[in-house]
Amino acid sequence: GIEPRFEFGFGLSYTTFEYSDLSVSAPTIANGDVTFSASIKVTNTGNVAGTDVTQLYVSLPKTSELTHPPLMLKAFKKTTLAPGASETVTLSLDKYAVSFWEERIKAWVVEPGVYRVRVGQSSAPEALTLAAEFKIAQRFEWNGL
């Protein structure tokens, strides 16, 4: 009768945190790479200092016949804040955040379409309090790590 915890990095804290002001930059595609960033304002809303792990998940567009995981953890950052303090956390992302391995052609693929970013303290749906979307206009493939 105990529901399992599905959160990454779940830890108990004596304080609470709030996320706001999610901003995702437009992706830049150049020299076989994709670069973009997300910034999130994290505020300690409790009465004691504490540490939070901001987690960013990406959902790939539904443009192919392939099935992708609904949420993929692509970036995270630990932040320690005093009571009432805020900090803007910036997470840098690249082609690994928007690619998937296509076995049929033995290459990594970035599909065109609308990608969704979700941010929160865990992967639990109720913990993903912020969302944004960005678009990649062109498909490309790449090899290597």
Side-chain angles (χ1 to χ4, degrees):
I2 298 172
E3 195 168 318
R5 293 293 232 193
F6 292 107
E7 297 98 12
F8 165 81
F10 178 77
L12 298 176
S13 179
Y14 293 103
T15 192
T16 54
F17 295 91
E18 181 180 277
Y19 296 125
S20 61
D21 304 331
L22 171 62
S23 174
V24 179
S25 68
T28 301
I29 301 174
N31 303 321
D33 201 1
V34 176
T35 56
F36 64 104
S37 64
S39 63
I40 307 99
K41 182 179 176 184
V42 180
T43 302
N44 180 342
T45 56
N47 296 322
V48 296
T51 300
D52 177 63
V53 178
T54 303
Q55 300 172 35
L56 182 142
Y57 295 83
V58 173
S59 299
L60 299 178
K62 297 177 182 3
T63 58
S64 75
E65 71 278 3
L66 298 174
T67 301
H68 303 293
L71 292 174
M72 297 179 292
L73 177 66
K74 294 298 180 174
F76 58 92
K77 187 171 183 183
K78 184 188 248 186
T79 308
T80 300
L81 294 169
S86 295
E87 182 177 317
T88 298
V89 172
T90 300
L91 302 166
S92 298
L93 299 131
D94 58 16
K95 64 186 173 187
Y96 295 98
V98 294
S99 300
F100 65 92
W101 178 254
E102 174 53 270
E103 183 62 30
R104 295 176 291 190
I105 62 172
K106 306 282 191 237
W108 291 96
V109 174
V110 176
E111 289 187 313
V114 176
Y115 290 72
R116 185 167 176 83
V117 169
R118 301 202 53 202
V119 175
Q121 290 181 309
S122 80
S123 62
E126 65 275 6
L128 296 170
T129 57
L130 298 178
E133 294 181 340
F134 64 92
K135 186 175 182 178
I136 293 182
Q138 64 190 52
R139 173 190 167 104
F140 75 89
E141 301 162 8
W142 60 279
N143 286 300
L145 296 175

